[in-house]
Amino acid sequence: MTRYLTVDEVAEHFRVSASAVKRWIKAGRLPNTIDIGTDKKPNYRIPEAALSSVVRSPVTASVPQGVEKII
């Protein structure tokens, strides 16, 4: 059985804001996310398995030079 998480739970897991998680959803970085809300107020549920796709995603160019060695 698939376990679904809220935006806040995912944000807490990655220690980012809920806004960042919503941007990831809109960018397609969290596959198979479902919206159980309305057109005016989305209410997302993210499958737990989708969290690994964020971890595997490439490091963006905005990371300062030299930091990628730490990551």
Side-chain angles (χ1 to χ4, degrees):
M1 178 179 243
T2 302
R3 180 172 177 232
Y4 286 88
L5 305 170
T6 65
V7 169
D8 289 336
E9 289 171 328
V10 174
E12 184 177 326
H13 177 80
F14 287 108
R15 296 184 181 179
V16 298
S17 68
S19 299
V21 175
K22 290 175 185 175
R23 283 193 304 270
W24 295 348
I25 292 168
K26 290 177 184 176
R29 291 183 62 193
L30 293 167
N32 302 316
T33 296
I34 58 174
D35 182 0
I36 61 172
T38 64
D39 289 339
K40 293 185 180 185
K41 186 167 171 59
N43 189 349
Y44 299 110
R45 293 296 183 268
I46 302 102
E48 192 171 37
L51 301 186
S52 63
S53 68
V54 173
V55 175
R56 288 191 311 241
S57 65
V59 176
T60 63
S62 63
V63 174
Q65 187 175 5
V67 174
E68 67 276 356
K69 294 176 185 171
I70 298 169
I71 302 173

